[in-house]
Amino acid sequence: MSRALAAVFSAAVTASLAPAAPSLPRPHGWIGTTDEWARGLGIGFALLDLLLLALAWRSLRRSGPSSVSKELLFGAVAVLPLAVVFFSYSYGLEASKKVEACGSCHVMTPWVKDLRDPKSETLAAVHFKNRYIQENHCYTCHTDYGMFGTVRAKWEGLGHVYRYSTGRYELPIHIAKPYSNLRCLNCHGQSKKFLDPAKHAVEDLPDMLSGKTSCLDCHGPAHPRREQKASR
Amino acid sequence: MSGESFARTKTLRLALFAATLGILFSLALLLKETPYTFVGFMFLGQPLLALALLLLAVEVVRDLRARGVL
């Protein structure tokens, strides 16, 4: 029994560690990312818990609430689910930040398509193709910084899923509120290029910081305009 | 099986059922992350696991009372 469990656990971890589409060779000693480990361990614990639940069910059916069935129940209902929830959260929260997660609703297809288009010169595409942002491109630019920024982004994301699932949205979709300059300045604010008076006049900075002047006024568009999207 | 024993078994079976469903929601998220599996885990999987734990706790307290420990 313990060998079978070890085999299932090991298979789940190995399967989750296998890279989907390796583009570059992994460095020597590569053992996977935290996400991959969280996923593998989560799957392993979930399978183990399902097995314990089945055994507890059988024991309960055969001999009623005996000491064996109680022990199995304690493990399957009170202990292992804690590990499963922990790893599901670890994996789920990180995976929900990926471009694939944002692009899984078909209304987002034109945005994601433009983002990945090497010929596109929109701000989002330029950031993507030059890897100015390493990963989680949508999430990085559309989330306010700090703890509450993350919480708000998750909450709004749930709202997006609700509206998409129930069809409570209008086309064409548009950003809910004006894009905050602070999201741009979090990365660019201290850069030499931004602070160069020849690029951004000192007297203009207060307006930029207050949001009166949008970065996108000069550096946009961030995404293809409505007519461009329609022609794609 | 006495009436009390039947009720206890029923509560424990309900806990098992809720835990199984909760774990299946978690497994769905771990196998394929989509907004739907994430919402399913957040709003169905976790409450089901909490319900299972609550039912088990109720049963433990009931058992301890029957033995005169509590």
Side-chain angles (χ1 to χ4, degrees):
Chain A
M1 174 69 86
S2 61
R3 275 188 188 175
L5 282 177
V8 168
F9 190 76
S10 153
V13 172
T14 311
S16 70
L17 290 179
S23 50
L24 288 171
R26 298 296 193 190
H28 179 69
W30 175 259
I31 56 164
T33 62
T34 312
D35 282 2
E36 289 164 346
W37 273 93
R39 187 178 178 222
L41 289 169
I43 292 172
F45 278 118
L47 292 175
L48 184 65
D49 198 20
L50 285 176
L51 184 71
L52 276 190
L53 285 165
L55 290 174
W57 184 273
R58 200 176 69 166
S59 171
L60 203 61
R61 204 173 161 188
R62 280 187 178 171
S63 52
S66 63
S67 59
V68 175
S69 64
K70 282 176 192 169
E71 281 168 15
L72 285 168
L73 269 164
F74 184 72
V77 175
V79 180
L80 277 178
L82 294 176
V84 176
V85 166
F86 174 78
F87 288 117
S88 299
Y89 253 120
S90 306
Y91 171 69
L93 284 178
E94 283 306 309
S96 67
K97 293 178 185 173
K98 291 181 178 166
V99 174
E100 290 75 21
C102 301
S104 59
C105 299
H106 68 79
V107 287
M108 293 311 298
T109 305
W111 280 265
V112 175
K113 206 173 161 187
D114 172 74
L115 182 80
R116 291 181 164 151
D117 181 1
K119 290 177 188 161
S120 174
E121 288 301 322
T122 60
L123 208 54
V126 168
H127 277 73
F128 184 85
K129 66 183 166 190
N130 291 307
R131 283 295 186 272
Y132 293 151
I133 299 167
Q134 290 293 312
E135 53 190 5
N136 307 332
H137 303 81
C138 310
Y139 181 83
T140 304
C141 287
H142 286 276
T143 306
D144 288 325
Y145 290 88
M147 189 176 81
F148 291 110
T150 304
V151 172
R152 200 178 300 124
K154 298 289 175 207
W155 188 249
E156 285 173 359
L158 290 175
H160 293 166
V161 175
Y162 171 73
R163 281 193 289 278
Y164 182 71
S165 311
T166 54
R168 292 185 182 191
Y169 62 92
E170 286 176 14
L171 290 173
I173 59 168
H174 52 81
I175 194 162
K177 48 194 167 197
Y179 192 83
S180 168
N181 287 349
L182 295 178
R183 291 175 180 174
C184 306
L185 295 176
N186 188 60
C187 292
H188 297 282
Q190 296 300 314
S191 72
K192 192 180 168 192
K193 211 170 172 182
F194 176 75
L195 294 172
D196 182 358
K199 304 269 184 190
H200 300 102
V202 177
E203 58 269 24
D204 292 341
L205 290 181
D207 282 352
M208 286 182 202
L209 294 172
S210 67
K212 200 173 171 186
T213 306
S214 171
C215 298
L216 298 173
D217 291 346
C218 298
H219 298 286
H223 295 287
R225 295 188 196 285
R226 205 169 292 175
E227 59 274 16
Q228 286 174 298
K229 281 201 290 278
S231 67
R232 277 164 198 266
Chain B
M1 194 181 283
S2 69
E4 193 190 341
S5 177
F6 179 76
R8 285 175 63 190
T9 310
K10 198 176 165 186
T11 310
L12 291 174
R13 279 187 183 177
L14 201 60
L16 277 175
F17 185 67
T20 306
L21 276 181
I23 292 294
L24 287 176
F25 274 110
S26 307
L27 197 58
L29 171 71
L30 290 161
L31 290 174
K32 184 153 179 63
E33 202 282 339
T34 69
Y36 296 109
T37 53
F38 188 67
V39 170
F41 165 72
M42 292 280 286
F43 293 105
L44 294 171
Q46 288 185 98
L48 280 167
L49 290 171
L51 175 72
L53 191 61
L54 186 73
L55 288 171
L56 184 69
V58 165
E59 205 43 59
V60 168
V61 170
R62 201 185 283 175
D63 194 31
L64 291 174
R65 276 195 184 150
R67 289 163 191 247
V69 179
L70 284 181

